[in-house]
Amino acid sequence: VSALDKLGSIALKTNISAKLTDVSLLTQDGGNILTYTLSYSNGSNASLNLVDFFSKVTTSGGTVIQGSPITSSATIKSIAAKSSQSITYYVNIGKSTSLNGVKISLYGWDFNTTDYQKKLGNFTVPTGYSQAVARGQSKKITLNNLPVTTKAESLQIYKYNGKVYAKVGVSFTNQGTKVLSDTELKGYLASAGGSVFELALDDTSTSYKVQPQEKKTIYYLTEIPSYMKTDNMALQFAGEDASLKIALPVVAYNLPAATTPDLVVASNVTKKLTISNNTVETQLKTANVYADNGNAKWTLQFRIKNSGNKAVNVPAYELAIKAAEGYSFPVDTKDFASLTLKPLEEKIIELSADVPLTLNQGTLQLQMTEPAAEGKIIFPTAYYQIPYTLQTNNWQDTEYPIENSHGTFVVKIANIQRLPWSDKDQIVAKINIRNTKSTSVQLPALTSVVKAGESDISSTSQVVSESTQTILGPNESAAVYVVANVPYSYTFNQLKITLQETSGESKLNFLSLSTTQLDSRVQSVAAENSFHLELEGKKAELLVRRNLVYPGTDSNLLYTELEMNSEESRKSEQAQLVAYYKTQDNQYYEAEVTQSKTSTSPNGKSLVTLWSKLPLGIDPANLVLYIGEGVSEGKLTAPDGQSTGYINTVSLGLNQLGVEPKGNLLNVEMFPYTLSVTNAVATVTAGKDTLSTALTYNMSASTLYESGTYEHKLVLELIDPLGQSMEKTLTLGTDLQLGTFKSYTTTFTSSLYKTLGGGAIRLNLYDEFQGHRNLLGTQTYV
């Protein structure tokens, strides 16, 4: 502007002059448009009629073109006395791109000359003149009939996916009394070499409004060639003249030196973003990694918080892991697809990704990019440094802090057990979760991802909650059991467990634990001691009542009776038990379990029977009983259900393996029955082949326990005077009935009885179970 001031003014009449105050050039395909502004000053006492004057432009190439007023100036026909007025004109100068040497000449009509035109003078644009506002300077322009001070604030260069983008920041200070909304200006970025690129509004700047006296910076974007020099770039704004249907230059700026913004966010540092004029905090909180089949398995926690005073719809940011070697790897998340944050609301987003181990894991970055859209320029919002910390080895009985979208917790592996399960082994991990927030939290329904060494055993896993109560108050704890199967011969040195919740179609990590402390910890209970079941609604005390060995020719049968005493204050269903007999050399024999399927009253007692057939070489005296609470489909097994696993297993010592048979048949016990044979008489009839036997007996039954199906049989063996042995299988309660002084008769047949004259008989009583027998008592009757 100072260069144009030095050109002085041209006199039109006495006390009337014109001065050149602005010259601008807009390059475009249909011919470059030059505009110039003449400021008329009328110091006379009469009005100046502008129809008597006109102006022409002579380009640096010598072309002469008469100027025409732009639409906003076309209505000005005169300059009132003692006043000033600026009028802007335009010409299409074709392909000419230089303002140096351009002449703007003023003429008046003179009918005394040959061509009726009289040249009054001219302005020659000085060499080196620039239409652009100098760096760091502002310029006041009129937008939407409002005075606005503008300034080019910044030029930033972004490089992404092999492309280069320029981002220009321009401040608008509204000096008017009304809101300045969309100016409808078109921006163009020009290089020092003359290349021009159309700018588009950045997403954060769309639909902007500038309040009166407010200053706001608006950002514009464009893609530029990677080889282009970014020194001495300029910004030009153009406005559409609707009547003339041409674009006219409005204002141009010499841009500040280009800078490359540092989008890298250091580990654990909060990055603030502006979304819909709200400040949103973002942070990569935690990162864990472990190796698996040639890949680094990354699990990340990303925090986002709305620090503003109104709700924010978060863009559907696209995330990727960026390696220093130039590769990018997708990050699995749909949480940004429809995320709205209320004021001060915070959300923890779980992310996961696989990165080949051949790449440098210590220089990875989490790249966050605005969502892709047609015609939209996309480049990263931030690069979050990923801290390279191998997944913590979580020791049993040690608490570790975690944070997720539900709150803050400390978690620990309370116990790991490796137990037999059919022809496989079962891994049971008990995990305690404690709420460290000052408010209550709702635990979600959880599923599990389980890896034993390099094997994914998640398909066999189930998660069992210790309690049906899922709301944790401050400092309250809950326990969950993760149950999964592995081949019994499989050895591994690391167990990884991830508990997940389902959110729409996504799986979100609730916690992840990894441990190499795999020693199986099974509580040992001495033979004479009781142990307790502690699960909610199933609390009970268990005690071994007796153990028996039923010998056999091909195998022995080990039989155990347990007393189960309810410790609930309400009627409750029993825990359904699962058991295995374990040898000293770690062989396991699955036990069949029979127990009551009916609910037990408070303090009620029930009898649980367990048995298994053992090879003859196994010494039952060296066995222990592994026994736990059955589970199925993530719950404790129902009374009629089929268990698919078991938890809370203890190792129970066994005792009383032998029962000495009685030398008589008085008070013979075959629990819950007690039988006394008070007399036995055998008679034969001469000439007949039958031996009639009559028993007199007393029988009672204990009602102390509820029990399952009674599977024992009483076998009566009679050895006659000839030494022959004959048997009868008796059903207690049917063949032999409860009561005193009861009688039972039976007949044995032999051709030798036709000549038998008398003698003593011997009666043996056997407890038969699953085809195996124990002698209960024996007595001879004469």
Side-chain angles (χ1 to χ4, degrees):
V1 174
S2 60
L4 296 180
D5 280 343
K6 294 178 182 179
L7 299 179
S9 59
I10 297 174
L12 304 181
K13 288 184 177 182
T14 303
N15 292 329
I16 300 174
S17 63
K19 186 176 181 179
L20 180 65
T21 58
D22 184 76
V23 181
S24 296
L25 178 64
L26 177 64
T27 302
Q28 51 190 348
D29 293 338
N32 300 330
I33 301 297
L34 182 146
T35 61
Y36 57 95
T37 300
L38 297 176
S39 180
Y40 296 93
S41 178
N42 183 2
S44 69
N45 295 321
S47 175
L48 174 69
N49 192 342
L50 291 176
V51 73
D52 296 331
F53 302 93
F54 57 94
S55 58
K56 296 181 181 181
V57 174
T58 303
T59 69
S60 56
T63 303
V64 178
I65 310 157
Q66 183 168 328
S68 301
I70 65 174
T71 300
S72 60
S73 296
T75 57
I76 304 173
K77 303 298 183 182
S78 62
I79 309 297
K82 306 296 182 181
S83 70
S84 297
Q85 181 73 53
S86 292
I87 297 176
T88 299
Y89 303 86
Y90 78 96
V91 292
N92 188 326
I93 61 173
K95 299 298 182 180
S96 181
T97 59
S98 175
L99 291 177
N100 290 335
V102 169
K103 293 182 180 180
I104 299 171
S105 303
L106 270 66
Y107 294 85
W109 295 110
D110 186 349
F111 296 103
N112 294 319
T113 62
T114 303
D115 57 358
Y116 309 112
Q117 302 178 21
K118 180 181 180 181
K119 187 174 182 179
L120 302 175
N122 62 62
F123 301 103
T124 301
V125 177
T127 301
Y129 167 79
S130 173
Q131 65 180 343
V133 180
R135 284 183 179 179
Q137 299 299 310
S138 60
K139 184 172 184 179
K140 183 177 288 187
I141 60 176
T142 299
L143 296 174
N144 296 352
N145 297 319
L146 293 171
V148 179
T149 300
T150 64
K151 181 181 177 182
E153 301 285 353
S154 63
L155 170 61
Q156 296 175 316
I157 304 300
Y158 294 82
K159 295 180 180 180
Y160 176 57
N161 279 352
K163 296 183 178 181
V164 179
Y165 300 94
K167 184 176 182 179
V168 180
V170 182
S171 65
F172 293 82
T173 303
N174 184 359
Q175 308 286 5
T177 58
K178 296 180 180 179
V179 174
L180 173 66
S181 56
D182 186 5
T183 61
E184 297 184 355
L185 292 177
K186 287 186 177 181
Y188 299 89
L189 179 67
S191 71
S195 299
V196 177
F197 306 90
E198 186 173 351
L199 293 163
L201 278 172
D202 178 63
D203 263 10
T204 61
S205 300
T206 56
S207 303
Y208 62 85
K209 292 183 179 181
V210 186
Q211 301 295 329
Q213 310 309 311
E214 181 186 16
K215 179 180 179 180
K216 182 173 289 186
T217 299
I218 309 301
Y219 293 95
Y220 298 83
L221 295 170
T222 190
E223 181 183 347
I224 61 175
S226 60
Y227 54 80
M228 177 169 288
K229 293 183 178 181
T230 57
D231 299 335
N232 302 316
M233 300 194 88
L235 165 68
Q236 186 170 38
F237 281 126
E240 185 74 19
D241 189 317
S243 297
L244 297 174
K245 297 182 179 179
I246 58 173
L248 301 173
V250 175
V251 63
Y253 310 87
N254 285 317
L255 290 172
T259 61
T260 300
D262 186 5
L263 298 179
V264 176
V265 184
S267 299
N268 299 317
V269 171
T270 297
K271 165 88 172 173
K272 293 184 178 180
L273 306 177
T274 300
I275 303 175
S276 301
N277 297 321
N278 263 24
T279 298
V280 174
E281 297 179 6
T282 63
Q283 180 188 16
L284 182 60
K285 284 188 64 66
T286 63
N288 290 302
V289 63
Y290 64 88
D292 179 38
N293 290 331
N295 281 327
K297 296 279 190 177
W298 283 94
T299 301
L300 312 174
Q301 279 192 336
F302 189 83
R303 180 181 72 90
I304 183 166
K305 178 182 179 181
N306 180 8
S307 300
N309 56 11
K310 60 182 179 181
V312 169
N313 294 320
V314 179
Y317 289 113
E318 297 177 2
L319 302 175
I321 299 291
K322 185 175 181 291
E325 294 84 347
Y327 300 99
S328 291
F329 302 91
V331 173
D332 184 20
T333 180
K334 295 181 180 178
D335 283 356
F336 288 115
S338 57
L339 178 59
T340 299
L341 294 177
K342 300 174 184 175
L344 302 182
E345 183 180 4
E346 181 176 302
K347 186 174 179 63
I348 302 294
I349 296 174
E350 297 284 343
L351 309 173
S352 60
D354 292 352
V355 178
L357 286 172
T358 54
L359 302 179
N360 186 348
Q361 305 297 310
T363 57
L364 298 179
Q365 296 174 333
L366 175 65
Q367 173 183 287
M368 186 165 76
T369 309
E370 294 179 5
E374 186 177 354
K376 178 182 173 183
I377 298 173
I378 303 299
F379 56 88
T381 301
Y383 295 96
Y384 301 86
Q385 292 279 20
I386 299 176
Y388 181 42
T389 304
L390 288 173
Q391 190 169 41
T392 303
N393 188 25
N394 303 113
W395 299 103
Q396 294 187 40
D397 292 325
T398 302
E399 289 190 326
Y400 298 90
I402 67 165
E403 183 176 359
N404 53 42
S405 59
H406 295 276
T408 57
F409 306 87
V410 290
V411 300
K412 71 176 179 180
I413 302 173
N415 189 283
I416 291 177
Q417 294 182 331
R418 182 164 183 167
L419 307 166
W421 179 253
S422 186
D423 60 346
K424 298 177 286 293
D425 272 1
Q426 171 186 267
I427 306 298
V428 181
K430 181 180 180 181
I431 299 172
N432 285 346
I433 304 169
R434 180 163 60 88
N435 174 23
T436 57
K437 286 183 67 175
S438 59
T439 57
S440 296
V441 296
Q442 172 80 53
L443 293 181
L446 297 171
T447 58
S448 59
V449 176
V450 185
K451 294 203 68 176
E454 298 300 319
S455 296
D456 189 334
I457 56 175
S458 305
S459 62
T460 68
S461 70
Q462 56 182 309
V463 178
V464 182
S465 295
E466 189 173 65
S467 171
T468 56
Q469 176 60 265
T470 58
I471 297 178
L472 290 185
N475 213 40
E476 285 187 344
S477 296
V480 296
Y481 299 82
V482 178
V483 183
N485 298 334
V486 295
Y488 82 89
S489 59
Y490 180 57
T491 58
F492 57 95
N493 56 18
Q494 188 175 40
L495 182 67
K496 306 181 190 75
I497 298 174
T498 300
L499 295 183
Q500 297 181 325
E501 60 172 309
T502 301
S503 178
E505 297 180 359
S506 302
K507 291 282 190 179
L508 305 181
N509 289 352
F510 183 85
L511 65 83
S512 293
L513 295 169
S514 177
T515 185
T516 58
Q517 187 183 3
L518 301 176
D519 50 304
S520 181
R521 301 195 300 186
V522 178
Q523 177 190 355
S524 294
V525 179
E528 303 297 330
N529 293 346
S530 64
F531 65 98
H532 296 266
L533 306 182
E534 299 291 350
L535 290 186
E536 180 183 283
K538 309 289 184 183
K539 293 180 181 178
E541 179 188 34
L542 276 82
L543 177 68
V544 175
R545 183 178 180 277
R546 63 172 179 166
N547 289 292
L548 298 173
V549 175
Y550 291 80
T553 56
D554 299 322
S555 63
N556 293 327
L557 187 144
L558 181 56
Y559 172 89
T560 301
E561 286 181 354
L562 297 177
E563 292 183 10
M564 181 183 283
N565 303 318
S566 173
E567 294 181 327
E568 293 288 342
S569 59
R570 300 289 188 275
K571 190 175 184 180
S572 61
E573 292 179 344
Q574 296 178 336
Q576 301 300 295
L577 303 179
V578 175
Y580 286 80
Y581 292 102
K582 176 182 178 292
T583 68
Q584 289 180 321
D585 58 353
N586 295 322
Q587 294 182 12
Y588 294 90
Y589 296 90
E590 186 173 358
E592 296 289 338
V593 180
T594 302
Q595 60 189 113
S596 174
K597 291 182 171 55
T598 60
S599 297
T600 304
S601 301
N603 299 316
K605 297 178 180 293
S606 62
L607 189 72
V608 181
T609 61
L610 308 96
W611 63 272
S612 183
K613 290 183 180 180
L614 306 175
L616 293 176
I618 300 294
D619 183 1
N622 294 326
L623 300 183
V624 294
L625 180 65
Y626 270 26
I627 186 166
E629 299 165 78
V631 296
S632 176
E633 297 180 351
K635 299 178 182 178
L636 292 174
T637 307
D640 290 323
Q642 184 69 37
S643 293
T644 56
Y646 55 115
I647 60 176
N648 289 332
T649 300
V650 300
S651 173
L652 191 58
L654 302 177
N655 60 2
Q656 302 173 5
L657 291 173
V659 176
E660 195 69 30
K662 297 175 67 68
N664 56 55
L665 298 186
L666 299 177
N667 296 317
V668 175
E669 183 176 348
M670 195 166 77
F671 191 83
Y673 298 97
T674 301
L675 174 66
S676 292
V677 179
T678 57
N679 192 25
V681 177
T683 60
V684 292
T685 303
K688 292 190 176 182
D689 60 356
T690 58
L691 175 69
S692 298
T693 304
L695 306 181
T696 304
Y697 67 93
N698 301 324
M699 191 172 74
S700 61
S702 171
T703 58
L704 181 62
Y705 301 101
E706 297 174 354
S707 62
T709 303
Y710 189 72
E711 298 176 279
H712 294 266
K713 297 176 183 178
L714 181 65
V715 177
L716 171 65
E717 180 186 29
L718 182 142
I719 301 176
D720 64 20
L722 300 174
Q724 295 182 109
S725 172
M726 288 155 285
E727 296 180 354
K728 287 286 187 181
T729 299
L730 305 177
T731 302
L732 298 177
T734 302
D735 296 321
L736 299 183
Q737 297 183 345
L738 298 175
T740 57
F741 306 111
K742 295 290 186 178
S743 63
Y744 171 77
T745 59
T746 187
T747 300
F748 298 97
T749 302
S750 172
S751 60
L752 298 177
Y753 294 155
K754 293 180 180 180
T755 59
L756 182 63
I761 62 169
R762 186 172 188 81
L763 296 182
N764 295 325
L765 290 180
Y766 295 91
D767 171 12
E768 184 177 281
F769 186 81
Q770 301 296 328
H772 290 63
R773 293 180 180 180
N774 264 331
L775 178 62
L776 299 175
T778 181
Q779 188 168 346
T780 300
Y781 298 89
V782 179

